[in-house]
Amino acid sequence: MGAITWRRQLSVGQPAIDDDHKHLIEYLNELDAALAAPRFQPVRVAKILIKLLEYTKEHFAREERIMQIVHYPKFDEHVAMHRAAVQKVSELSNQFSNEPSHENAEKLYKFTADWLVRHIILTDTQLTPYVRGVWA
């Protein structure tokens, strides 16, 4: 699948948000490495998924607090996207829990990696004019 590399176009311009995104990418890269390993280890994948999901919840809460502080006008729409992603990841995680196969882990990785990169580039970067320089 290939590791995700942090690049300038992923920067929102707010250190806490950018740092969170870098950590999420690190977890996704750990998951990618686990999926590419010669021997599939469901327990290793499950441990990474737990870290990824917990950190995602913390990140969404932090990002949403920042959006409220800066009175981001698309707050409700943005939060709805977060909730929909959490719902989909929960469904895919349950599939993996019920059947811890490489295929189910790959589905989870693919959805999460695609969603995160697309969400950062298309949605989170819309925060830039509101957050740039705040808490820098």
Side-chain angles (χ1 to χ4, degrees), residues 43-56:
V43 172
R44 177 181 174 200
V45 169
K47 287 178 181 178
I48 296 166
L49 287 175
I50 290 167
K51 290 190 301 185
L52 175 64
L53 296 173
E54 287 303 311
Y55 200 86
T56 299

Side-chain angles (χ1 to χ4, degrees), residues 53 56-57 60 64 77-93 108 111-112 114-116 118-119:
L53 296 173
T56 299
K57 290 176 188 175
F60 284 169
E64 290 166 10
E77 179 184 327
H78 199 120
V79 170
M81 289 179 193
H82 286 173
R83 300 295 171 266
V86 167
Q87 178 62 37
K88 180 66 175 176
V89 170
S90 292
E91 290 170 16
L92 292 169
S93 293
L108 188 49
F111 171 81
T112 308
D114 289 349
W115 186 91
L116 180 67
R118 193 173 57 253
H119 181 77

Side-chain angles (χ1 to χ4, degrees), residues 5-21:
T5 304
W6 177 261
R7 51 197 185 275
R8 190 180 53 76
Q9 76 186 95
L10 294 173
S11 176
V12 173
Q14 201 288 326
I17 294 172
D18 286 344
D19 287 347
D20 278 358
H21 289 163

Side-chain angles (χ1 to χ4, degrees), residues 64-79:
E64 290 166 10
R65 276 195 306 277
I66 290 169
M67 285 190 286
Q68 288 176 315
I69 290 167
V70 300
H71 305 289
Y72 183 59
K74 295 181 181 178
F75 175 79
D76 292 335
E77 179 184 327
H78 199 120
V79 170

